[in-house]
Amino acid sequence: MTVATALKAFRISAWVTGVGLLLLTFYAMPAKYIFGDPRPVALIGMVHGFLYMIYIVCTLILAERCRWNPVFAVVILAAGTVPVASFFAERHVTRKVQTEHLAAAGT
């Protein structure tokens, strides 16, 4: 897998994970704790957990391809657990990878 392909997979997984976490945080959790309906948390929570695992794999593949510092990789991994943070992480990582790896490769 090339760096460009790994970046594309990371970007997609970051956005999907971020949207799932926003749904969980701002729709499912209020539905459970304000309106007493636990079903959205059960469904959206399970889906978000699965999507977060995909985000972890995509992030680790990209980190390995780009030879990231392990601390930086952990910070990017943690962004999938904080609402809205995955969107900022995706933007930061995309700029970093494009300037450091893709521009140098001429891709």
Side-chain angles (χ1 to χ4, degrees), residues 7 10-11 14-15 85-95:
L7 178 62
F10 167 78
R11 292 183 74 186
W15 273 90
S86 68
F87 303 119
F88 290 104
E90 181 272 330
R91 203 72 223 119
H92 178 74
V93 166
T94 298
R95 287 185 183 135

Side-chain angles (χ1 to χ4, degrees), residues 24-83:
L24 180 64
T25 304
F26 296 111
Y27 169 70
M29 298 298 278
K32 179 177 181 178
Y33 292 108
I34 295 172
F35 303 110
D37 184 7
R39 292 174 299 174
V41 168
L43 178 63
I44 296 172
M46 180 183 61
V47 171
H48 170 68
F50 180 73
L51 294 172
Y52 183 66
M53 289 188 284
I54 294 171
Y55 174 79
I56 289 171
V57 170
C58 291
T59 303
L60 291 175
I61 290 171
L62 186 60
E64 186 271 329
R65 297 288 185 268
C66 295
R67 305 211 182 272
W68 288 349
N69 177 327
V71 174
F72 180 73
V74 168
V75 168
I76 299 303
L77 287 169
T81 64
V82 178

